[in-house]
Amino acid sequence: MADRPSNDRSAVTQPHGEPVRRLTGQKALVTGGSSGIGEGIAIELGKAGADVVVNYLGNREAAEAVAQTIIDNGSKAYAHRADVSDESNVQEMFDRMRREFGTIDILVCNAGIQKDAGLLDMTIDQWRAVLDVNLTGQFLCAREAIREFKRRGVVEEVSCAAGKIISISSVHDIIPWAGHVNYAASKGGVKLLMQSIAQEVAPDRIRVNCLSPGAIRTPINRQAWESQEARDALMTLIPYNRIGEVDDVGRVAAWIASDDADYITGAVLYVDGGMTLYPGFETGG
Ligand code: BGC
Protein backbone atom coordinates (compact mmCIF):
# COMPACT_ATOMS: atom_id res chain seq x y z
CA MET A 1 0.00 0.00 0.00
CA ALA A 2 1.29 3.38 -0.99
CA ASP A 3 0.68 5.00 2.36
CA ARG A 4 2.45 2.36 4.41
CA PRO A 5 5.87 3.34 5.79
CA SER A 6 8.68 1.12 4.61
CA ASN A 7 9.26 -0.39 8.04
CA ASP A 8 5.61 -1.20 8.78
CA ARG A 9 5.17 -4.94 8.31
CA SER A 10 1.41 -4.91 8.99
CA ALA A 11 0.66 -6.41 5.58
CA VAL A 12 3.09 -9.29 6.00
CA THR A 13 1.45 -12.67 6.34
CA GLN A 14 0.40 -13.51 9.86
CA PRO A 15 0.12 -16.98 11.34
CA HIS A 16 -3.09 -18.68 10.42
CA GLY A 17 -4.39 -22.16 10.04
CA GLU A 18 -7.28 -24.26 11.18
CA PRO A 19 -7.81 -23.63 14.89
CA VAL A 20 -7.49 -26.70 17.06
CA ARG A 21 -10.71 -27.23 19.05
CA ARG A 22 -8.73 -27.73 22.25
CA LEU A 23 -11.38 -26.04 24.45
CA THR A 24 -14.29 -28.26 23.52
CA GLY A 25 -16.75 -28.62 26.41
CA GLN A 26 -15.41 -25.58 28.28
CA LYS A 27 -17.47 -22.55 29.28
CA ALA A 28 -15.87 -19.13 28.99
CA LEU A 29 -16.81 -15.60 30.01
CA VAL A 30 -15.12 -12.66 28.31
CA THR A 31 -15.70 -9.26 29.89
CA GLY A 32 -15.78 -6.36 27.47
CA GLY A 33 -16.34 -8.88 24.69
CA SER A 34 -18.27 -6.62 22.34
CA SER A 35 -15.30 -4.90 20.72
CA GLY A 36 -11.54 -4.70 20.41
CA ILE A 37 -9.33 -7.28 22.10
CA GLY A 38 -12.30 -8.79 23.97
CA GLU A 39 -14.10 -9.45 20.70
CA GLY A 40 -10.98 -11.06 19.24
CA ILE A 41 -10.58 -13.29 22.29
CA ALA A 42 -14.26 -14.29 22.44
CA ILE A 43 -14.19 -15.34 18.79
CA GLU A 44 -10.93 -17.31 19.12
CA LEU A 45 -12.17 -19.12 22.25
CA GLY A 46 -15.31 -20.02 20.31
CA LYS A 47 -13.26 -21.30 17.38
CA ALA A 48 -11.29 -23.42 19.85
CA GLY A 49 -14.57 -25.07 20.90
CA ALA A 50 -15.57 -23.15 24.04
CA ASP A 51 -19.09 -21.85 24.67
CA VAL A 52 -18.81 -18.13 25.39
CA VAL A 53 -20.65 -15.46 27.36
CA VAL A 54 -19.97 -12.11 25.70
CA ASN A 55 -20.18 -9.44 28.39
CA TYR A 56 -20.77 -5.83 27.36
CA LEU A 57 -21.80 -2.56 28.95
CA GLY A 58 -22.92 -0.12 26.27
CA ASN A 59 -23.26 -1.72 22.87
CA ARG A 60 -25.77 -4.54 22.89
CA GLU A 61 -25.94 -4.92 19.10
CA ALA A 62 -22.17 -5.31 18.84
CA ALA A 63 -22.13 -7.91 21.63
CA GLU A 64 -24.95 -9.84 19.97
CA ALA A 65 -23.07 -9.78 16.67
CA VAL A 66 -20.00 -11.27 18.38
CA ALA A 67 -22.19 -13.95 19.99
CA GLN A 68 -23.72 -14.72 16.59
CA THR A 69 -20.27 -15.12 15.01
CA ILE A 70 -19.39 -17.63 17.74
CA ILE A 71 -22.65 -19.52 17.16
CA ASP A 72 -21.97 -19.56 13.39
CA ASN A 73 -18.58 -21.11 14.15
CA GLY A 74 -20.27 -24.00 15.99
CA SER A 75 -20.27 -23.07 19.71
CA LYS A 76 -22.96 -21.68 22.02
CA ALA A 77 -22.89 -18.01 22.98
CA TYR A 78 -25.01 -15.21 24.35
CA ALA A 79 -24.48 -11.54 25.18
CA HIS A 80 -24.91 -10.31 28.75
CA ARG A 81 -24.95 -6.70 29.94
CA ALA A 82 -23.12 -6.00 33.20
CA ASP A 83 -20.94 -3.27 34.66
CA VAL A 84 -17.89 -5.18 35.91
CA SER A 85 -17.25 -2.57 38.59
CA ASP A 86 -20.68 -3.21 40.16
CA GLU A 87 -20.69 -6.10 42.63
CA SER A 88 -24.32 -7.12 42.17
CA ASN A 89 -24.11 -6.83 38.36
CA VAL A 90 -21.13 -9.18 38.45
CA GLN A 91 -22.86 -11.66 40.75
CA GLU A 92 -25.96 -11.70 38.55
CA MET A 93 -23.79 -12.31 35.47
CA PHE A 94 -22.18 -15.36 37.09
CA ASP A 95 -25.56 -16.63 38.40
CA ARG A 96 -27.01 -16.49 34.90
CA MET A 97 -23.97 -18.25 33.46
CA ARG A 98 -24.44 -21.09 35.94
CA ARG A 99 -28.11 -21.35 34.96
CA GLU A 100 -27.44 -21.26 31.20
CA PHE A 101 -24.10 -23.05 30.87
CA GLY A 102 -23.94 -24.95 34.19
CA THR A 103 -20.54 -23.59 35.25
CA ILE A 104 -17.47 -21.59 34.19
CA ASP A 105 -14.07 -22.97 33.17
CA ILE A 106 -12.38 -19.89 31.70
CA LEU A 107 -12.68 -16.26 32.80
CA VAL A 108 -11.11 -13.58 30.63
CA CYS A 109 -10.95 -10.28 32.53
CA ASN A 110 -10.68 -7.98 29.58
CA ALA A 111 -13.02 -5.01 30.17
CA GLY A 112 -10.94 -1.86 30.36
CA ILE A 113 -11.13 1.84 29.65
CA GLN A 114 -8.82 4.82 29.23
CA LYS A 115 -9.62 8.36 30.43
CA ASP A 116 -6.45 10.23 29.63
CA ALA A 117 -5.26 13.53 31.07
CA GLY A 118 -2.05 15.08 32.31
CA LEU A 119 -1.63 14.61 36.03
CA LEU A 120 -2.57 18.16 36.99
CA ASP A 121 -5.69 18.10 34.84
CA MET A 122 -6.84 14.64 35.86
CA THR A 123 -10.11 14.71 37.77
CA ILE A 124 -11.01 12.36 40.59
CA ASP A 125 -13.79 11.02 38.35
CA GLN A 126 -11.29 10.10 35.62
CA TRP A 127 -9.05 8.46 38.18
CA ARG A 128 -11.87 6.50 39.83
CA ALA A 129 -13.57 5.40 36.61
CA VAL A 130 -10.39 3.78 35.31
CA LEU A 131 -9.44 2.14 38.61
CA ASP A 132 -13.03 0.93 39.13
CA VAL A 133 -13.35 -0.79 35.76
CA ASN A 134 -9.78 -1.90 35.09
CA LEU A 135 -8.79 -3.05 38.58
CA THR A 136 -11.83 -3.46 40.84
CA GLY A 137 -13.71 -5.08 37.94
CA GLN A 138 -11.01 -7.74 37.65
CA PHE A 139 -11.12 -8.38 41.41
CA LEU A 140 -14.92 -8.80 41.43
CA CYS A 141 -14.98 -11.13 38.43
CA ALA A 142 -11.99 -13.20 39.59
CA ARG A 143 -13.59 -13.68 43.02
CA GLU A 144 -16.84 -14.99 41.55
CA ALA A 145 -15.04 -17.28 39.12
CA ILE A 146 -12.83 -18.74 41.83
CA ARG A 147 -15.86 -19.40 44.03
CA GLU A 148 -17.31 -21.51 41.24
CA PHE A 149 -14.00 -23.20 40.34
CA LYS A 150 -13.59 -24.30 43.97
CA ARG A 151 -17.20 -25.41 44.31
CA ARG A 152 -16.91 -27.61 41.22
CA GLY A 153 -13.27 -28.70 41.27
CA VAL A 154 -11.52 -30.54 38.45
CA VAL A 155 -13.64 -32.35 35.88
CA GLU A 156 -11.03 -34.43 34.11
CA GLU A 157 -12.94 -34.96 30.86
CA VAL A 158 -13.09 -31.17 30.48
CA SER A 159 -9.70 -29.91 31.69
CA CYS A 160 -6.93 -30.97 34.04
CA ALA A 161 -7.26 -27.62 35.86
CA ALA A 162 -10.19 -26.59 38.07
CA GLY A 163 -10.34 -23.28 36.23
CA LYS A 164 -8.35 -20.68 34.35
CA ILE A 165 -8.31 -16.90 34.62
CA ILE A 166 -6.73 -14.80 31.91
CA SER A 167 -6.26 -11.23 32.95
CA ILE A 168 -5.81 -8.72 30.16
CA SER A 169 -3.26 -6.26 31.38
CA SER A 170 -1.03 -4.07 29.16
CA VAL A 171 2.60 -3.30 28.40
CA HIS A 172 1.81 -0.42 30.76
CA ASP A 173 1.91 -2.80 33.69
CA ILE A 174 5.67 -2.36 33.30
CA ILE A 175 6.20 0.65 30.98
CA PRO A 176 5.40 3.94 32.74
CA TRP A 177 3.01 6.14 30.76
CA ALA A 178 2.97 9.90 31.29
CA GLY A 179 -0.41 11.43 30.65
CA HIS A 180 -2.11 8.15 31.55
CA VAL A 181 -1.27 7.69 35.23
CA ASN A 182 -4.69 6.26 36.09
CA TYR A 183 -4.39 3.64 33.34
CA ALA A 184 -0.78 2.68 34.14
CA ALA A 185 -1.60 2.47 37.86
CA SER A 186 -4.58 0.23 37.12
CA LYS A 187 -2.53 -2.11 34.91
CA GLY A 188 0.39 -2.26 37.35
CA GLY A 189 -2.23 -3.20 39.93
CA VAL A 190 -3.74 -5.84 37.67
CA LYS A 191 -0.37 -7.55 37.28
CA LEU A 192 0.22 -7.97 41.01
CA LEU A 193 -3.45 -8.65 41.72
CA MET A 194 -3.32 -11.57 39.33
CA GLN A 195 0.06 -12.88 40.43
CA SER A 196 -1.07 -12.75 44.08
CA ILE A 197 -4.30 -14.57 43.24
CA ALA A 198 -2.27 -17.11 41.26
CA GLN A 199 -0.14 -17.79 44.31
CA GLU A 200 -3.22 -18.14 46.53
CA VAL A 201 -5.18 -20.55 44.34
CA ALA A 202 -2.49 -22.64 42.66
CA PRO A 203 -2.96 -25.45 45.24
CA ASP A 204 -6.60 -25.66 44.07
CA ARG A 205 -5.37 -26.31 40.51
CA ILE A 206 -6.59 -22.94 39.34
CA ARG A 207 -4.32 -21.17 36.87
CA VAL A 208 -4.16 -17.38 36.67
CA ASN A 209 -2.10 -15.57 34.04
CA CYS A 210 -1.81 -12.11 32.53
CA LEU A 211 -1.64 -11.33 28.85
CA SER A 212 -0.17 -7.89 28.43
CA PRO A 213 -0.81 -6.52 24.93
CA GLY A 214 1.12 -3.72 23.28
CA ALA A 215 -0.38 -1.57 20.54
CA ILE A 216 -3.27 -3.58 19.14
CA ARG A 217 -5.45 -2.01 16.42
CA THR A 218 -8.68 -1.26 18.34
CA PRO A 219 -10.93 1.74 18.95
CA ILE A 220 -9.18 2.52 22.29
CA ASN A 221 -5.99 3.70 20.56
CA ARG A 222 -7.33 4.85 17.19
CA GLN A 223 -5.28 8.06 17.36
CA ALA A 224 -2.09 5.93 17.47
CA TRP A 225 -2.69 4.20 14.13
CA GLU A 226 -5.23 6.20 12.13
CA SER A 227 -2.88 8.60 10.35
CA GLN A 228 0.33 7.83 8.49
CA GLU A 229 2.24 10.14 10.83
CA ALA A 230 0.92 8.36 13.91
CA ARG A 231 1.75 4.94 12.45
CA ASP A 232 5.30 6.06 11.65
CA ALA A 233 5.75 7.24 15.25
CA LEU A 234 4.23 4.01 16.55
CA MET A 235 6.64 1.85 14.53
CA THR A 236 9.59 3.41 16.38
CA LEU A 237 8.16 1.71 19.50
CA ILE A 238 7.54 -1.73 17.95
CA PRO A 239 10.67 -3.70 16.95
CA TYR A 240 8.54 -6.24 15.06
CA ASN A 241 7.32 -3.37 12.87
CA ARG A 242 3.65 -4.06 12.73
CA ILE A 243 0.69 -3.09 14.80
CA GLY A 244 -0.98 -5.99 16.59
CA GLU A 245 -4.38 -7.34 15.56
CA VAL A 246 -6.99 -8.58 18.01
CA ASP A 247 -6.63 -12.18 16.87
CA ASP A 248 -2.89 -12.02 17.76
CA VAL A 249 -4.09 -11.78 21.36
CA GLY A 250 -7.07 -14.08 20.84
CA ARG A 251 -4.98 -17.03 19.67
CA VAL A 252 -2.61 -16.70 22.63
CA ALA A 253 -5.61 -16.56 24.99
CA ALA A 254 -7.02 -19.77 23.52
CA TRP A 255 -3.68 -21.47 23.99
CA ILE A 256 -3.00 -20.28 27.55
CA ALA A 257 -6.54 -21.33 28.55
CA SER A 258 -5.91 -24.83 27.21
CA ASP A 259 -4.35 -27.83 28.92
CA ASP A 260 -1.35 -27.41 26.58
CA ALA A 261 -0.37 -24.57 28.94
CA ASP A 262 -1.23 -26.50 32.12
CA TYR A 263 2.09 -25.80 33.85
CA ILE A 264 1.86 -22.03 33.37
CA THR A 265 0.47 -19.97 36.23
CA GLY A 266 1.30 -16.51 37.53
CA ALA A 267 2.96 -15.62 34.23
CA VAL A 268 2.83 -12.26 32.50
CA LEU A 269 3.09 -12.80 28.77
CA TYR A 270 3.74 -9.69 26.68
CA VAL A 271 1.96 -9.88 23.35
CA ASP A 272 3.55 -6.74 21.99
CA GLY A 273 5.82 -7.24 18.98
CA GLY A 274 8.76 -6.40 21.25
CA MET A 275 7.46 -3.09 22.64
CA THR A 276 8.84 -4.03 26.07
CA LEU A 277 12.35 -4.59 24.61
CA TYR A 278 13.32 -0.92 25.11
CA PRO A 279 13.61 -0.29 21.35
CA GLY A 280 15.29 3.09 21.98
CA PHE A 281 18.37 1.11 23.00
CA GLU A 282 18.66 -0.66 19.64
CA THR A 283 21.30 1.80 18.55
CA GLY A 284 22.39 3.47 21.75
CA GLY A 285 23.01 3.19 25.44
C1 BGC B 1 -3.34 1.00 25.51
C2 BGC B 1 -3.22 1.54 24.10
C3 BGC B 1 -1.76 1.71 23.73
C4 BGC B 1 -0.94 0.48 24.05
C5 BGC B 1 0.56 0.69 23.80
C6 BGC B 1 -2.51 -0.25 25.61
O1 BGC B 1 -2.64 -0.83 26.87
O2 BGC B 1 -4.71 0.72 25.80
O3 BGC B 1 -3.91 2.76 24.00
O4 BGC B 1 -1.66 2.00 22.34
O5 BGC B 1 -1.15 0.10 25.37
O6 BGC B 1 1.02 1.90 24.34
Side-chain angles (χ1 to χ4, degrees):
M1 262 195 221
D3 70 345
R4 181 171 291 112
S6 57
N7 66 342
D8 178 353
R9 296 178 64 250
S10 297
V12 176
T13 312
Q14 291 178 50
H16 283 301
E18 277 306 299
V20 183
R21 291 181 76 82
R22 44 163 80 95
L23 301 179
T24 300
Q26 302 203 40
K27 315 296 177 193
L29 165 61
V30 181
T31 68
S34 57
S35 73
I37 292 174
E39 173 179 1
I41 292 173
I43 289 172
E44 292 299 324
L45 294 183
K47 282 189 194 163
D51 296 331
V52 185
V53 179
V54 181
N55 159 255
Y56 70 98
L57 182 58
N59 194 340
R60 178 172 163 191
E61 277 175 18
E64 280 174 352
V66 174
Q68 192 56 52
T69 302
I70 295 166
I71 292 166
D72 294 344
N73 289 338
S75 292
K76 292 186 190 136
Y78 65 85
H80 181 93
R81 186 186 175 284
D83 175 351
V84 294
S85 68
D86 181 296
E87 188 172 23
S88 55
N89 270 213
V90 169
Q91 283 165 347
E92 283 158 19
M93 176 164 68
F94 278 81
D95 287 348
R96 178 175 172 201
M97 187 171 179
R98 267 185 73 182
R99 285 196 307 277
E100 303 230 1
F101 283 173
T103 192
I104 179 169
D105 303 286
I106 301 163
L107 167 67
V108 182
C109 290
N110 166 79
I113 56 172
Q114 281 184 224
K115 296 214 177 278
D116 307 326
L119 179 70
L120 298 183
D121 295 322
M122 187 171 286
T123 63
I124 187 72
D125 288 347
Q126 288 173 316
W127 171 265
R128 283 207 177 112
V130 170
L131 270 290
D132 281 356
V133 173
N134 296 14
L135 185 56
T136 306
Q138 294 218 13
F139 157 68
L140 290 172
C141 291
R143 193 181 58 175
E144 290 312 306
I146 288 168
R147 282 184 176 142
E148 172 61 12
F149 296 159
K150 286 192 168 205
R151 183 199 66 80
R152 192 207 53 233
V154 175
V155 179
E156 267 168 24
E157 311 80 76
V158 175
S159 171
C160 47
K164 283 87 56 163
I165 297 179
I166 301 169
S167 173
I168 304 306
S169 182
S170 164
V171 290
H172 299 297
D173 63 20
I174 195 167
I175 301 178
W177 206 15
H180 310 256
V181 297
N182 48 358
Y183 186 84
S186 73
K187 295 301 187 178
V190 159
K191 174 178 171 290
L192 271 171
L193 168 70
M194 284 301 157
Q195 289 179 310
S196 302
I197 295 175
Q199 194 184 56
E200 191 167 328
V201 300
D204 301 302
R205 298 198 52 181
I206 297 167
R207 296 194 294 112
V208 184
N209 292 289
C210 279
L211 296 185
S212 296
I216 309 297
R217 192 195 312 269
T218 72
I220 209 172
N221 60 359
R222 186 178 298 281
Q223 92 297 334
W225 50 263
E226 216 167 27
S227 70
Q228 179 70 62
E229 205 185 354
R231 284 199 302 275
D232 284 349
L234 188 59
M235 286 311 129
T236 67
L237 298 174
I238 308 176
Y240 207 58
N241 281 330
R242 72 169 173 84
I243 191 165
E245 305 295 343
V246 295
D247 58 324
D248 284 314
V249 184
R251 284 189 303 273
V252 178
W255 168 74
I256 211 162
S258 78
D259 284 353
D260 287 352
D262 187 55
Y263 208 48
I264 302 181
T265 193
V268 182
L269 187 52
Y270 291 96
V271 186
D272 69 348
M275 195 175 238
T276 42
L277 293 175
Y278 297 93
F281 278 78
E282 192 183 334
T283 53

